[in-house]
Amino acid sequence: EIYNEQVKDLLEDKSSASLLNNKKMDIKMREDGTGVYVPGLTEVPVSDAEEVLRLLSVGSKNRSVGVTMMNEHSSRSHLVMMISCVNHNISKDTSFTSKISFIDLAGSERVSKSCAEGDRLKEASYINKSLSALGDVIASLASARTNHVPFRNSKLTYLLSDSLGNECKTMLFVNISPSVIHAHESLCSLMFAFRARNVNLSSSSASLSNVKKLREVADLAKKQQQKMGDEMSTQSQAHCREKDELQREIASLRKELQGKDDLISNLKSAPVKCQPPPPGVAPPAAKPMRQHNPNATEDLGQQLIALRETNKSLTERVRTLREDKAKLQKEAAKKEQELKEMAEKYRRGSSL
C-alpha cells in the first residue's frame, strides 16, 4: 500500500511486524529502463487464481483503514497488487515477462463532510494530493502539446508509470454514489473518468515504434562495434607483423652498414708490413705499383648513402604506421562514445 506517501509491504511476515515501521521502502528505476520496482518487497510464487485471492485477502486485512463520518471502513491508503507472469518458449529458448497491476485507489473526500481530524485529516491530505498528481498525469497523457509526463510527483504515479504508457493496456473503473447529497463527489469522479477516457494509449504505438527503432539501432551499433573491433584487431595484428618485419629489416641493414663501416675503417688504418727475404734467397723482382682505384671507394660511398636513405625511409614508414594506429584509436573512442549516447537515448526512450 501507499500510505501517506510511504510504501508499505502488506504481505510482510507477522513475526517481523515490529520491523515493518523501521523498514523504509522506495521505488527504483530498473537499470535497463524497462520499468520500476520496489527493492525488498515480498514476492510469493502462485500457480492458480485461488492463491492470488488468498494473498489479496491477507493484504486487504493488513491495509490501513479508518472511521470517518462518511464511511465506517474508509480506506486510508492506495492498495497495489502486481502479478508477474513469465512465459518461457522452450523451442526458441526465449522468455518474456508481463505484469498485471490491480490498484484500489482511496477515494477523494471533502473534509467538511468527513469531519476528518488529526491522523484522518493528514491521511485525507495525502490521498487528495496523490489523486491530484494522478489527474495531472492523465491530463498530460491526454494532451498532445506536452512531452513531459509528471510521473515522479507522487509515489502512486511513479509506481504506475510503467502501467500508463508504452506497451500496456489500462482499464479504469470509477465508483460513484447515487445519493443526491454526494452529487458533487460523483460529478468530480465522472469528470476524472472523462479526462482519463481521452487518453489514447494507442498513440503510444509511435513511441513504441521509436523504442523498437532504438533497439534495432542499438543492436546494429553493437554489431558494428563488434565488427569494427574485429577489423581493428586484424589491422593491429597486420601492423604489428609489418612493424616487426620492418624492425628486423632495419636491424639487418644497420648491421650490414656497421660491417661495411668497420671494413672501411680497417682498410684505412691497417699498416703495410714488409718482411726481408731469408738469407741466401734473392729478393723477388719488383712488381709494378698497383694503381689506386678511386671507383671502388666511390662505389662504397654510394652504397653507404643508399643504405642510409633506406634506413631513413623505413623510419618514416614506422612513424606513419604509428600515426595511423593513433587515428584508429581515436576513431574507436569516438564510436564508443556514440554508442554510449545511443544507449542512453534508448534507456530514456524506454523509461518514457
Side-chain angles (χ1 to χ4, degrees), residues 82 221 339:
M82 296 181 178
L339 289 174

Side-chain angles (χ1 to χ4, degrees), residues 37-80:
Y37 72 106
V38 181
L41 195 65
T42 302
E43 296 184 4
V44 182
V46 294
S47 57
D48 53 32
E50 293 182 358
E51 295 183 7
V52 176
L53 293 175
R54 180 180 60 81
L55 291 174
L56 179 60
S57 177
V58 172
S60 298
K61 291 179 181 178
N62 295 332
R63 187 179 182 183
S64 301
V65 296
V67 179
T68 65
M69 294 296 295
M70 296 181 67
N71 192 347
E72 185 178 355
H73 303 284
S74 176
S75 301
R76 314 309 294 171
S77 65
H78 306 296
L79 184 142
V80 180

Side-chain angles (χ1 to χ4, degrees), residues 9 69 89 129 140 210 236 238 290 293:
D9 191 350
M69 294 296 295
N89 190 326
K129 181 181 178 181
S140 298
N210 292 334
S236 177
R290 186 177 179 181
N293 187 6

